[in-house]
Amino acid sequence: QVQLVESGGGLVQPGGSLRLSCEASGRIFSILDMGWYRQTPGNERNLVAVITSGGNTNYGDSVKGRFTISRGESKKTVYLELNSLTPEDTAVYYCKVSGITDGGYRSFHSWGQGTQVTVSS
């Protein structure tokens, strides 16, 4: 009932930047948290950054000061600015959105399909 579409991944050189986007659609009454996670082969999916409906943010230790999470004016889009990228940032990045559905007012936690970010020279 809630769909997420991610975009913006790709190949970038060390030190470069990327911007990821994730747009939520469907039967949404309200959105609470929006966040980004990343995963490399054989490893768990880890938090990159999260932003609450009130605008509070939280970042994983490895990306603090380099990545910035923000929400669009519609509050249904979340962005992740990735700066000063290193090869260690290479991963599949997943968007996650939590909220309340329309017509039933049930909580939901939806994941995007993932977008590959590769940092390499």
Side-chain angles (χ1 to χ4, degrees):
Q1 290 186 329
V2 176
Q3 296 82 38
L4 304 181
V5 176
E6 302 172 8
S7 62
L11 173 64
V12 64
Q13 292 186 343
S17 298
L18 281 176
R19 189 192 198 205
L20 307 183
S21 301
C22 173
E23 183 174 8
S25 63
R27 303 196 66 178
I28 299 171
F29 175 72
S30 68
I31 291 179
L32 303 176
D33 298 341
M34 305 183 84
W36 291 93
Y37 294 73
R38 66 186 182 185
Q39 187 173 24
T40 55
N43 293 310
E44 295 182 349
R45 194 171 295 185
N46 294 318
L47 172 71
V48 175
V50 64
I51 185 168
T52 69
S53 58
N56 295 318
T57 58
N58 188 35
Y59 295 90
D61 288 341
S62 63
V63 306
K64 286 179 180 178
R66 300 188 299 123
F67 293 7
T68 303
I69 190 170
S70 61
R71 292 175 72 160
E73 290 187 3
S74 70
K75 304 301 183 185
K76 293 184 179 180
T77 303
V78 61
Y79 303 101
L80 185 68
E81 298 277 353
L82 298 77
N83 297 311
S84 301
L85 285 161
T86 74
E88 287 68 38
D89 295 313
T90 296
V92 178
Y93 285 70
Y94 295 90
C95 173
K96 181 184 178 184
V97 175
S98 300
I100 307 296
T101 62
D102 191 7
Y105 303 105
R106 297 179 179 178
S107 64
F108 70 87
H109 306 278
S110 295
W111 289 91
Q113 78 280 8
T115 184
Q116 176 71 45
V117 171
T118 302
V119 184
S120 175
S121 56

